[in-house]
Amino acid sequence: SQQGEEDPQALSIQEGENATMNCSYKTSINNLQWYRQNSGRGLVHLILIRSNEREKHSGRLRVTLDTSKKSSSLLITASRAADTASYFCASQQGAQKLVFGQGTRLTINP
Amino acid sequence: NAGVTQTPKFRVLKTGQSMTLLCAQDMNHEYMYWYRQDPGMGLRLIHYSVGEGTTAKGEVPDGYNVSRLKKQNFLLGLESAAPSQTSVYFCASSALGTRNSPLHFGNGTRLTVT
């Protein structure tokens, strides 16, 4: 399968806690992108990290990339109810080939 | 600023019927894409376009055709729908292609083929 893998498939935490999601891919990449999808909606871009970068921040989001392990992680700090969504990683593998993982369903409990 | 707009939002087809899904973007993006999303499968690329008048096959192109006659529009056609094409279809656009810029998605079309 060309699909990336995400771990865990589902995550449920209390509001205010941190959430960490992991992504693995199978081949060399140009960049790795993270997206959020609310129920019944399209995907929304969160962060793009290039293959020569190791860490990137955007507000409460922190993304790391380890190309030697072919893995990435997304950390959401101080989670809020509005962060409840599915999160997808997508590895850019050349031309217009963007390979999406199967997603992590994150639930933030009040 | 509407971004990426997909029509229709829902559609039910009988096996063998045809239909066209319309995608329109108002961001002047060169690149446009059609994906399908199935449970447990993530998103898979059907076809894409790197500019007006161009189209190319993605990962799962069989049973679909596309056209990009105008820069702002990207049409996805199903000539003879099959139950295996039941899915949620997403259109996306990108300013510089996925190698250099992120995707902007529409809100999807949920298609059921009976």
Side-chain angles (χ1 to χ4, degrees):
Chain A
S1 170
Q2 296 184 41
Q3 300 295 315
E5 295 184 6
E6 296 192 55
D7 172 60
Q9 291 189 349
L11 178 62
S12 181
I13 61 174
Q14 295 300 119
E15 195 167 15
E17 294 180 338
N18 296 341
T20 299
M21 288 158 269
N22 301 297
C23 167
S24 62
Y25 54 92
K26 298 182 178 180
T27 186
S28 61
I29 63 171
N30 298 303
N31 66 60
L32 190 132
Q33 304 177 26
W34 284 90
Y35 291 84
R36 183 188 73 235
Q37 184 180 33
N38 291 95
S39 180
R41 308 283 288 183
L43 281 73
V44 174
H45 171 73
L46 297 175
I47 289 182
L48 183 154
I49 184 167
R50 301 192 184 281
S51 60
N52 61 353
E53 297 175 309
R54 291 296 168 259
E55 188 170 311
K56 206 161 185 180
H57 297 254
S58 176
R60 294 183 295 112
L61 307 180
R62 182 175 78 107
V63 166
T64 60
L65 178 63
D66 187 335
T67 54
S68 66
K69 295 181 179 178
K70 293 186 170 59
S71 67
S72 175
S73 66
L74 169 66
L75 168 67
I76 303 174
T77 60
S79 63
R80 304 167 181 169
D83 294 328
T84 293
S86 291
Y87 292 81
F88 294 87
C89 69
S91 53
Q92 212 288 338
Q93 301 179 5
Q96 298 307 312
K97 187 176 180 181
L98 191 64
V99 178
F100 283 84
Q102 296 176 12
T104 294
R105 293 189 308 279
L106 175 64
T107 301
I108 308 300
N109 302 303
Chain B
N1 190 340
V4 178
T5 303
Q6 292 183 234
T7 53
K9 290 183 171 54
F10 303 93
R11 186 72 186 268
V12 178
L13 288 179
K14 295 185 186 303
T15 297
Q17 289 184 321
S18 64
M19 78 163 295
T20 299
L21 282 67
L22 172 63
C23 176
Q25 53 98 1
D26 62 2
M27 296 172 284
N28 201 34
H29 285 173
E30 288 291 337
Y31 297 77
M32 296 187 75
Y33 310 79
W34 276 105
Y35 287 88
R36 59 178 289 173
Q37 184 177 35
D38 302 293
M41 298 287 290
L43 275 77
R44 292 180 292 167
L45 181 63
I46 304 171
H47 287 281
Y48 65 95
S49 168
V50 301
E52 180 179 312
T54 75
T55 63
K57 294 181 180 179
E59 182 186 356
V60 289
D62 294 343
Y64 305 95
N65 57 76
V66 287
S67 65
R68 183 108 181 260
L69 298 180
K70 292 183 179 181
K71 185 177 182 178
Q72 63 268 34
N73 296 335
F74 196 28
L75 307 180
L76 178 69
L78 286 72
E79 291 184 345
S80 180
S84 60
Q85 294 178 305
T86 293
S87 187
V88 182
Y89 291 86
F90 287 98
C91 176
S93 69
S94 172
L96 300 173
T98 58
R99 193 180 179 112
N100 295 298
S101 60
L103 295 176
H104 298 258
F105 283 87
N107 283 325
T109 294
R110 185 174 296 276
L111 174 65
T112 302
V113 182
T114 62

